[in-house]
Amino acid sequence: MNIFVINSGSSSIKYQMIKMPEEALACSGIVERIGSGDATITHNTYKDNEKQKHEAQSHIRNHVEGLQAVVDLLTDSKIGVIKDTSEISAVGHRVVHGGEKFSNISVVTESVKEEIKKLFPLAPLHNPANYRGIEVAEKVFPAAKQIAVFDTSFHQTMPEKAFRYAIPNKFYKENGIRAYGFHGTSHKYVSAKAEEYLQKKDIKVITLHLGNGCSVAAVKDGKCIDTSMGLGPMNGLVMGTRAGDIDQSIIFHMVREMGISVEQVNNILNKESGMLGLTGANDMRDINKAVEENGHDAVLAMDIYAYRAQKYIGSYIAALNGVDAVVFTAGVGENDVNTRERICSNLDALGIVMDKEKNRATGIKGVKDISHTSSKVKILVIPTNEEMEIARQCYQLMETNK
């Protein structure tokens, strides 16, 4: 069974085709700068564990043209992986916000699409683009089952004491204002991998998804009991351009005393804060270079970044009443040895002790154990694969509904 996974952005389409149940990656790629005169397509095919990269530039006016260009590559006589679109059994769509309505994946129907549209205000940067991807895929892959996989669904197991805010009840009951959490597909994937690696059931895991967007989750017995992001993806850890946790009084001060509009404040906290606001850069490679040069702003920013993560680790150990493993994943979590070292420092009282040599070792594939022999808690680096997790869930749904 061929599962085609789509992550549709406002001007991009990321995709993978995965053969199930073998979990074999057939192709992957991204269409970027849709709507501009210089849109690009990077398409990778995989055969005998070897990747072949194909790049093209084209005038792609919209997502329909973008996805059609991908289909042309999928069915190309020389590099194609299928003969025609009828060989795609299901299209799995990443949808960022599912609200309380969707606690599991869902076959896309007209009513499901209407619910996704209702959630546009909660994820204005993501859900409209995800919705557009569904509508385009319905036209391009008419024979395939369209399936929505929600970032928020993994976090729907949080108890009410974790997801409710201490504001008047009517705002929750009438407006759905509560913590939903994000990066759920990633947290689900790596927490399951940790359980598999440790060969232990009912484990307690803290997963740190550290990329340009960052979040942390407390997972017990495979279920999320708390997570750092809230109503939207701005809360919690310090991120590439997002502030994370902030005193609400700052927002009112900026509006009332400084004359900054609400729209500007939203833009500042979303796109101009975090590591970018503190250092002028949001790429950890650039920030680490500045740290090496002893740049004060960069050093302070890294201290703030690590300190915030440490506080969440400590609080989630309390929430879990112990922890078996701390897991690092996503771009920064998987690749930045310095960030991992900073976060794991001074946590020995919690039983978390890193082996610095293991942390800096390269060439390790799969799960990387970087905990010291004296550590009571395993420290693991696990590459995330959200597309594979989406494909798995789609395949299971297709098999169940046979």
Side-chain angles (χ1 to χ4, degrees), residues 367-382:
V367 178
K368 180 178 178 181
D369 187 340
I370 58 173
S371 46
H372 192 272
T373 53
S374 65
S375 184
K376 295 178 182 178
V377 177
K378 287 291 185 181
I379 308 170
L380 306 176
V381 181
I382 302 179

Side-chain angles (χ1 to χ4, degrees), residues 44-309:
N44 304 307
T45 55
Y46 303 85
K47 190 175 181 180
D48 300 326
N49 292 322
E50 289 189 8
K51 181 172 82 171
Q52 289 187 316
K53 188 175 183 179
H54 313 275
E55 293 182 298
Q57 194 170 40
S58 178
H59 178 59
I60 296 174
R61 293 174 296 179
N62 51 49
H63 283 64
V64 174
E65 291 184 4
L67 199 52
Q68 189 57 58
V70 173
V71 170
D72 292 342
L73 291 167
L74 292 175
T75 57
D76 185 86
S77 59
K78 294 181 180 179
I79 64 171
V81 292
I82 56 174
K83 291 182 180 179
D84 59 66
T85 58
S86 65
E87 294 181 43
I88 302 292
S89 300
V91 180
H93 297 269
R94 181 200 179 203
V95 180
V96 166
H97 216 306
E100 287 191 314
K101 183 75 175 180
F102 301 103
S103 58
N104 288 298
I105 67 172
S106 180
V107 174
V108 174
T109 62
E110 288 304 312
S111 62
V112 167
K113 288 198 290 185
E114 285 303 309
E115 290 295 332
I116 292 171
K117 287 173 70 175
K118 289 178 184 177
L119 293 164
F120 280 8
L122 295 183
L125 300 179
H126 298 92
N127 268 37
N130 302 153
Y131 180 88
R132 188 182 304 117
I134 291 172
E135 293 217 302
V136 170
E138 287 176 326
K139 297 175 183 175
V140 177
F141 299 102
K145 188 80 74 178
Q146 307 293 326
I147 301 173
V149 181
F150 300 90
D151 270 11
T152 50
S153 63
F154 180 61
H155 304 302
Q156 285 297 299
T157 54
M158 286 192 294
E160 194 166 5
K161 66 181 181 181
F163 70 70
R164 285 289 299 272
Y165 294 118
I167 58 177
N169 288 328
K170 65 177 182 179
F171 291 109
Y172 168 62
K173 294 177 179 178
E174 298 174 16
N175 307 103
I177 296 178
R178 50 158 285 184
Y180 290 98
F182 299 89
H183 298 140
T185 306
S186 177
H187 288 294
K188 178 180 174 64
Y189 179 83
V190 298
S191 60
K193 280 289 184 182
E195 182 176 303
E196 180 184 304
Y197 176 78
L198 295 174
Q199 296 184 334
K200 179 181 178 182
K201 292 290 184 181
D202 304 333
I203 65 170
K204 300 172 182 178
V205 184
I206 295 172
T207 51
L208 292 105
H209 179 105
L210 307 178
N212 193 48
C214 302
S215 63
V216 56
V219 183
K220 184 179 182 181
D221 305 342
K223 297 179 179 179
C224 177
I225 67 162
D226 207 346
T227 193
S228 58
M229 284 182 167
L231 176 72
M234 287 175 61
N235 206 49
L237 300 176
V238 175
M239 307 179 217
T241 64
R242 291 174 235 169
D245 290 340
I246 190 169
D247 176 3
Q248 304 93 321
S249 301
I250 294 171
I251 298 171
F252 305 129
H253 182 81
M254 293 171 80
V255 173
R256 292 173 179 168
E257 305 302 325
M258 301 174 65
I260 303 173
S261 71
V262 172
E263 290 76 14
Q264 286 175 310
V265 171
N266 181 62
N267 190 68
I268 290 166
L269 297 180
N270 249 320
K271 299 180 179 180
E272 299 177 8
S273 298
M275 300 304 278
L276 179 65
L278 292 169
T279 70
N282 67 314
D283 190 314
M284 280 297 192
R285 290 167 294 190
D286 296 330
I287 297 167
N288 276 313
K289 185 177 179 181
V291 169
E292 290 174 6
E293 296 169 355
N294 206 29
H296 175 268
D297 288 347
V299 172
L300 176 60
M302 286 302 300
D303 285 343
I304 294 171
Y305 184 99
Y307 181 62
R308 182 76 58 82

Side-chain angles (χ1 to χ4, degrees), residues 309-362:
Q310 288 172 329
K311 289 203 294 183
Y312 267 97
I313 290 171
S315 66
Y316 282 178
I317 289 175
L320 290 164
N321 192 23
V323 65
D324 296 297
V326 172
V327 177
F328 289 92
T329 195
V332 176
E334 294 169 29
N335 300 299
D336 194 327
V337 297
N338 295 319
T339 296
R340 293 198 301 259
E341 190 172 307
R342 280 177 180 268
I343 291 173
C344 290
S345 65
N346 297 319
L347 295 180
D348 51 296
L350 301 177
I352 301 170
V353 185
M354 172 185 280
D355 186 317
K356 294 182 180 180
E357 289 186 10
K358 288 181 182 178
N359 182 44
R360 294 183 175 273
T362 58

